[in-house]
Amino acid sequence: MSYAIIGFGKIGHALARAFARKGIEVAVATTRDPASFAADAAAIGPTIIPTTVAEAVKADVIFLAVRFESHPEVAKALPDWSGKTVVDAMNTQAPLEDLGGLPSSAFVARTFTGASVVKGFNHLVAAVLDQDPAVHGGRRVVFLASDDDGGAAGKIGALAQQLGFAPIQLGGLSEGGLLVHGRGKTWGHLIFKDLIAFGR
């Protein structure tokens, strides 16, 4: 299984550190030349590989850590996203009417044609996501939601466990997933909640 993070701002850095803590290789990409952020990647760890977006989208699992309004440009990197799992770690304050009344991740799923989209890792602020998820004898919780019938949320849940987190499955994007979606000026009830699971 290969992994990539597209977007190397605060969330992208935090996700990269999660991979680096476990020694798991992950590509990181932005619209910039990889040489321009190679030093930042190297400072996180040797398993963080700077690359181009065109190369990053060859990974099996791709984390979206760009600004929400930038995701349609990322989607253009492939004509068909079938076989890919896309983890939507973005948040938006776009009103629902601008998204056709859809939860933001359902909107993203329409953009990434054929992909298995999982909402996840977005409810923690970057400074918290950046920390070791092993805290106070427990593990920091990450919430996951997906409409995929092929087990994409379970696959990302297994990855979350490998990274040291405690995954909680919320169901579909239009049901439990709304709990972690930004919706205009109204945020889902689980956004920015820093929860710890014990004995899991």
Side-chain angles (χ1 to χ4, degrees), residues 114-127:
S116 299
V117 173
V118 178
K119 185 71 171 177
F121 294 86
N122 68 297
H123 79 284
L124 295 171
V125 295

Side-chain angles (χ1 to χ4, degrees), residues 57-120:
V57 297
K58 294 178 181 178
D60 300 310
V61 176
I62 296 133
F63 285 77
L64 292 179
V66 296
R67 293 190 308 275
F68 185 82
E69 57 268 25
S70 299
H71 81 268
E73 282 303 310
V74 176
K76 292 176 183 176
L78 286 177
D80 183 0
W81 287 78
S82 296
K84 305 290 183 181
T85 299
V86 173
V87 182
D88 175 12
M90 303 177 294
N91 284 313
T92 179
Q93 288 187 301
L96 274 179
E97 53 268 25
D98 289 358
L99 304 179
L102 297 170
S104 60
S105 286
F107 187 85
V108 169
R110 288 190 173 184
T111 308
F112 287 81
T113 307
S116 299
V117 173
V118 178
K119 185 71 171 177

Side-chain angles (χ1 to χ4, degrees), residues 103 105-107 109 117-119 145-147 171-179 181:
S105 286
F107 187 85
V117 173
V118 178
K119 185 71 171 177
S146 180
D147 288 342
L173 297 175
S174 297
E175 296 131 3
L178 281 175
L179 295 170
H181 282 274

Side-chain angles (χ1 to χ4, degrees), residues 142-178:
V142 290
F143 297 108
L144 304 173
S146 180
D147 288 342
D148 178 68
D149 294 329
K155 178 166 65 176
I156 299 306
L159 172 62
Q161 287 184 311
Q162 194 177 356
L163 295 175
F165 294 92
I168 302 293
Q169 304 287 348
L170 296 178
L173 297 175
S174 297
E175 296 131 3
L178 281 175

